[in-house]
Amino acid sequence: MKRILILGGTTEARQLAGKLAARADLAITLSLAGRTENPVAQGVPIRIGGFGGADGLAACLQDMRIDLLIDATHPYAAQISANAAEAAHETGVPIVALRRPGWEPAEGDRWTLVDSVASAVTALGPVPRHAFLALGRQEVAAFEAAPQHHYLIRSVDPVEPRLAVPDATYLLARGPFREADEHALLQEHHIDVVVSKNSGGEATYGKIAAARALGIEVVMIRRPALPDVASAETVESVAAMIDHFLEPAAERGV
C-alpha cells in the first residue's frame, strides 16, 4: 500500500483524491488548510490545518511515511507550494503539482494586469467606482485603503470583521457561477470594475465572460511565481503520472 498526501483546497484536489481512492493499492490523505469553515465533503480521509512551515511538513511526511506528495493547492497559495517543494527536497519524497492553466484574455476583454492585491487597490483610481471583489475573504481588507468606492464582496464564508468603508454589500456563495447569473449580478449592482485573481478553471470564469459581454474592466491579479517541480494541468494527467512517481528513485532516473 503506497501512501499519498494531497495538499488540497481546490475542486481538482477533491476530484483527484476520489479518483485515486478507487485504487486498492493506494492510501490517500487529503490535507486542507482550514480557511473554509464548512468545506465540501471530500470522500477520503482528511487532515485540517497548517503544518508549521516546510520543516513541519517534512516531519509530517516522515511521520506518515508518505510515498508521494501532490501539491493541488490554489494557484495563489505560493507559500504552501514553496513549503511543499522544500519539504519534498528535504525528505526525498517525490512531488508532483496539479496546476490548472490560467485564463487568457479574449477579444473584447478589458483587463488591467497587476501583480498584487495592493496594486489592485491602486488600480481602481481616486474616482468612486462600483467594484466587485471576487477574491475571497482573506484579501479584501486591503481595500479599506480606498474607502471612496462602492464594494460588492462575495465569499464562501462571512468577512469578519467587515470592512471599515462606508458602502459595502456582502454576498455568501459557493461556485460554480454561471455566466448568465454573473451577468445579472453585475447589472443589478451597477458594477463598473471587477477585481479578480487569474484562478483559471470553469467554476468562476462566468464573471470574466459576463464582464466582457458588458464591456466592464477587469483588474486581474497575476499569478505568483511557483516552484519548479514536475507538474500537469489536469486531474487525468496527474493520475496517469502516479505510478511513475511511486517507482524507486533509481528506476525513475533520479
Side-chain angles (χ1 to χ4, degrees):
M1 183 74 73
K2 296 292 187 177
R3 296 176 176 85
I4 297 178
L5 177 63
I6 301 175
L7 305 180
T10 59
T11 299
E12 292 89 347
R14 184 175 73 253
Q15 293 171 343
L16 179 62
K19 189 176 186 68
L20 297 182
R23 289 182 46 170
D25 60 332
L26 301 178
I28 309 299
T29 300
L30 181 58
S31 177
L32 304 177
R35 292 182 177 177
T36 301
E37 293 176 358
N38 297 295
V40 174
Q42 305 295 319
V44 297
I46 64 172
R47 70 172 299 280
I48 296 179
F51 294 94
D55 290 342
L57 178 52
C60 183
L61 295 178
Q62 293 175 323
D63 291 344
M64 295 177 66
R65 292 183 293 165
I66 296 299
D67 297 293
L68 174 64
L69 177 62
I70 300 177
D71 177 9
T73 56
H74 193 275
Y76 286 77
Q79 187 58 60
I80 299 174
S81 292
N83 290 345
E86 184 177 340
H89 177 74
E90 181 180 333
T91 60
V93 173
I95 181 173
V96 61
L98 172 51
R99 294 176 179 164
R100 72 172 82 124
W103 300 317
E104 296 292 338
E107 184 177 355
D109 278 325
R110 295 175 53 208
W111 287 13
T112 298
L113 299 175
V114 298
D115 289 324
S116 66
V117 173
S119 297
V121 175
T122 302
L124 293 183
V127 177
R129 306 180 71 179
H130 288 79
F132 176 31
L133 307 184
L135 297 173
R137 61 177 178 162
Q138 282 83 24
E139 288 87 357
V140 296
F143 290 85
E144 291 183 339
Q148 71 272 26
H149 303 299
H150 311 276
Y151 293 112
L152 173 64
I153 301 168
R154 183 169 67 194
S155 58
V156 174
D157 298 312
V159 175
E160 296 177 350
R162 294 196 167 192
L163 270 61
V165 297
D167 188 356
T169 300
Y170 299 85
L171 294 179
L172 292 181
R174 188 193 302 269
F177 302 104
R178 298 189 311 136
E179 179 182 345
D181 295 332
E182 299 289 70
H183 193 284
L185 181 71
L186 297 180
Q187 287 188 310
E188 176 187 353
H189 292 273
H190 309 289
I191 298 300
D192 57 44
V193 60
V194 174
V195 182
S196 175
K197 294 177 178 178
N198 192 342
S199 300
E202 298 179 359
T204 60
Y205 186 70
K207 63 180 178 289
I208 306 302
R212 179 191 310 129
L214 292 167
I216 293 173
E217 179 188 4
V218 175
V219 175
M220 185 70 76
I221 302 171
R222 292 186 180 94
R223 290 186 171 191
L226 295 175
D228 183 15
V229 301
S231 65
E233 294 184 344
T234 67
V235 169
E236 291 72 21
S237 296
V238 172
M241 300 166 69
I242 295 301
D243 289 325
H244 168 73
F245 283 99
L246 291 176
E247 292 175 353
E251 295 181 22
R252 294 200 312 271
V254 175

